[in-house]
């Protein structure tokens, strides 16, 4: 990280209660929030979403198999 980038860092400190199952975070008022919402509310960070290759395969394996099968039959 370049020295000029250090000014962009906002730090979260202390214990953050997080659900062991769904990973939501409990705020000071007792409400459960998505991790992204909590961090955006308590820092200057913003999130963008994507799907990693492992999750893509897990979530869309059936669809990907159908596409590959269709591609093989249409190229014949």
């Amino acid at each position: 990280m370049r020295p000029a980038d250090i000014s962009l860092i906002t730090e979260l400190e202390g214990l953050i209660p997080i659900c062991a199952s769904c990973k939501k975070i409990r705020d000071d008022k007792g409400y459960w929030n998505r991790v992204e919402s909590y961090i955006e509310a308590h820092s200057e960070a913003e999130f963008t979403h994507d799907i990693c290759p492992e999750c893509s395969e897990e979530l869309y394996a059936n669809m990907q198999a159908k596409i590959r099968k269709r591609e093989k039959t249409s190229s014949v």
Side-chain angles (χ1 to χ4, degrees):
M1 181 179 300
R2 297 182 320 231
D5 294 337
I6 293 174
S7 65
L8 300 176
I9 297 174
T10 301
E11 223 175 277
L12 291 173
E13 294 184 88
L15 296 176
I16 299 175
I18 186 167
C19 176
S21 179
C22 71
K23 306 303 182 201
K24 286 183 179 176
I25 295 176
R26 190 180 68 230
D27 64 20
D28 296 337
K29 296 179 181 177
Y31 295 105
W32 291 93
N33 303 279
R34 290 182 4 250
V35 171
E36 300 92 333
S37 299
Y38 183 88
I39 292 175
E40 286 178 350
H42 294 84
S43 73
E44 295 178 19
E46 292 181 27
F47 285 83
T48 182
H49 290 84
D50 202 349
I51 297 179
C52 72
E54 291 85 6
C55 289
S56 179
E57 184 63 33
E58 183 179 324
L59 293 169
Y60 304 111
N62 292 338
M63 186 170 65
Q64 291 173 350
K66 288 178 184 178
I67 291 170
R68 285 191 290 268
K69 184 178 178 181
R70 186 180 308 146
E71 288 173 348
K72 286 182 183 179
T73 58
S74 65
S75 64
V76 175

